Amino acid sequence: MPERSVLRKAIWALGLTQIIGYGTLYYSFSILAPAMAGEFGLTEGWVFGALSASLFAGSVFAPTAGRWADRFGAGRIMTVGSVAAAVALALCAVAPDRVSFVLALLAMELASSFVLYSAAFVAIVQIGVPRPQRSITHLTLIAGFASTLFWPLTSALHAHLTWREVYLLFAALNLGLCLPIHAWLMRLSRRDATAASQERGPAPDEAGTGLDARRSQAAFLLMLAGFATEGFVLSAILIHMVPLTAALGLGTAGLFVSTLFGPAQVASRLINMLFGGRLQQTHLAVIAASLITAGLCALLLTTPWLPGAFLFVLLFGLGSGLTSIVGGTLPLELFGREGYGARLGWASAARQFTSAFAPFALAFMMARASVANSLWVLVVVAASGVIAFLAIVLLRRRGRVAFAIGGNPEEAA
């Protein structure tokens, strides 16, 4: 296993590539989309629809990228992915027409499957980190600043450069910074150490979850519904964050307010890491969904009051940060280790499917209704996620009572 100092450097280096990856391939798009739409003679809704289709294609391809990471090593596919991301950004920058532009967007999202979180998490395990789960938490803390850095950076660059020139610069970042780091990780990786070094997930409720077969199926479907609603709301808001706050009357202050999202997201992960060890993940899921809903309500009820916008970004960022944790820990707590990977795959699919179409859906709503009415629709969707996770809490509580009384939840049902 590499020395501890080398491992620390690897986590920080991966954090840098995640910031660049998410910033160039995801967060920058909402800043540049109006210029893209104007140049190609398209509506912004059409441009976001193209992004949604590309995100969906990327989510479908993600399982294949994961299998390749296991087979060939995450460092190797991330190295290839850096080149692919740079080429895709460059192709988008020089796209002469609508068709080539959409194909380049598709290539960008396919490349993201090789360089973002899923591949990075596998890389952490394969380089032999002794406590990979804690290192993964550290990585998410670092990468949480991607939006904070790239929303204002993209806006500042776009003030002096065309969107095509910005994308060419971002292609150079992927080649000049991410490629050497991923190549170094490829040499550092030890694929044969994966099984020995991989740390088992947090222990589930070994005394029994209190869920019989019927309640377990219901809890599983409710969990998928909760993750799907969260994915929809988060994706819709994050892609439109800066133009959305401006449309609500915050003007240029909207950009400054939006930069607080990253720190709030990171703060929630840090707080949970320090103080949330004994908190049940079902309760954490309810808290996360409630924070997202409360944030949207705060924005709608106080706009264009600037302190209200700050409260929105704080609550929304805290909820988003916790959601990223719950996505991996809730299936384990509810159903245990057996079949965890399959269930986690279904949870990711539910979240990614709705995330892919959310930006287009919100753009479509805002084009045909007021911004406020569109956001109230998102409040209803977010609140349904709170209800789904509360229902899981209730199912577990009733199941445990039935188990305590009857001694067998199957018979008690």
Side-chain angles (χ1 to χ4, degrees):
M1 184 177 67
E3 295 179 1
R4 188 175 299 273
S5 61
V6 175
L7 296 177
R8 284 197 298 267
K9 292 177 182 177
I11 300 303
W12 280 100
L14 265 177
L16 175 61
T17 70
Q18 294 305 288
I19 289 174
I20 294 174
Y22 277 103
T24 59
L25 298 171
Y26 186 74
Y27 287 115
S28 65
F29 189 84
S30 63
I31 307 294
L32 303 175
M36 296 171 177
E39 183 169 332
F40 289 111
L42 303 168
T43 64
E44 288 187 37
W46 196 97
V47 172
F48 281 107
L51 175 65
S52 296
S54 300
L55 288 170
F56 175 73
S59 69
V60 171
F61 186 70
T64 300
R67 288 194 296 270
W68 288 356
D70 288 334
R71 181 176 180 182
F72 302 112
R76 181 173 296 177
I77 72 159
M78 294 186 82
T79 302
V80 174
S82 295
V83 177
V87 170
L89 285 163
L91 288 175
C92 194
V94 299
D97 51 40
R98 300 175 183 182
V99 174
S100 57
F101 170 72
V102 172
L103 291 176
L105 277 183
L106 176 62
M108 284 170 55
E109 297 312 319
L110 292 178
S112 70
S113 300
F114 291 95
V115 296
L116 297 183
Y117 270 161
S118 296
F121 293 164
V122 177
I124 286 175
V125 172
Q126 290 180 348
I127 63 177
V129 174
R131 299 177 64 186
Q133 289 186 346
R134 185 172 181 84
S135 296
I136 287 172
T137 301
H138 290 165
L139 179 63
T140 61
L141 287 171
I142 300 168
F145 287 101
S147 61
T148 303
L149 294 173
F150 268 85
W151 276 331
L153 174 62
T154 304
S155 295
L157 290 172
H158 194 35
H160 303 282
L161 304 172
T162 67
W163 70 268
R164 293 179 182 274
E165 291 169 337
V166 172
Y167 263 9
L168 285 174
L169 180 59
F170 287 169
L173 278 178
N174 279 273
L175 278 180
L177 290 178
C178 297
L179 177 60
I181 291 173
H182 293 156
W184 172 60
L185 289 171
M186 178 176 64
R187 295 191 297 270
L188 193 63
S189 296
R190 295 176 56 190
R191 295 195 305 272
D192 58 345
T194 299
S197 65
Q198 186 169 14
E199 182 180 287
R200 297 186 71 184
D205 186 356
E206 299 295 349
T209 63
L211 296 175
D212 56 38
R214 178 171 58 85
R215 289 191 181 97
S216 180
Q217 180 66 17
F220 181 67
L221 294 176
L222 286 167
M223 182 187 71
L224 294 184
F227 286 152
T229 58
E230 286 182 333
F232 184 90
V233 174
L234 287 169
S235 179
I237 293 295
L238 290 179
I239 285 292
H240 293 283
M241 177 79 82
V242 176
L244 186 63
T245 52
L248 289 171
L250 293 170
T252 56
L255 176 61
F256 174 70
V257 169
S258 300
T259 61
L260 299 178
F261 171 80
Q265 187 173 238
V266 171
S268 69
R269 295 168 180 169
L270 181 61
I271 293 170
N272 182 73
M273 184 175 67
L274 296 176
F275 305 109
R278 297 183 180 181
L279 184 65
Q280 291 186 13
Q281 298 308 296
T282 47
H283 295 164
L284 190 64
V286 173
I287 293 171
S290 299
L291 286 169
I292 291 172
T293 307
L296 289 174
C297 290
L299 179 63
L300 282 164
L301 295 175
T302 63
T303 188
W305 191 45
L306 189 58
F310 280 111
L311 180 61
F312 151 68
V313 172
L314 175 63
L315 294 174
F316 201 80
L318 290 172
S320 175
L322 293 179
T323 296
S324 64
I325 298 171
V326 171
T329 57
L330 183 61
L332 189 60
E333 180 180 271
L334 286 177
F335 309 108
R337 293 188 177 95
E338 186 176 355
Y340 169 69
R343 292 189 178 97
L344 190 61
W346 276 104
S348 298
R351 185 167 50 247
Q352 292 173 3
F353 180 82
T354 55
S355 296
F357 296 103
F360 171 74
L362 182 57
F364 182 86
M365 286 190 290
M366 290 192 297
R368 285 158 178 77
S370 68
V371 174
N373 287 340
S374 300
L375 288 180
W376 278 120
V377 173
L378 290 187
V379 169
V380 173
V381 175
S384 67
V386 179
I387 294 171
F389 291 126
L390 281 172
I392 295 175
V393 174
L394 181 60
L395 275 175
R396 295 190 74 190
R397 188 171 299 168
R398 292 179 61 182
R400 282 170 173 164
V401 170
F403 183 84
I405 295 174
N408 189 332
E410 294 283 356
E411 294 176 359

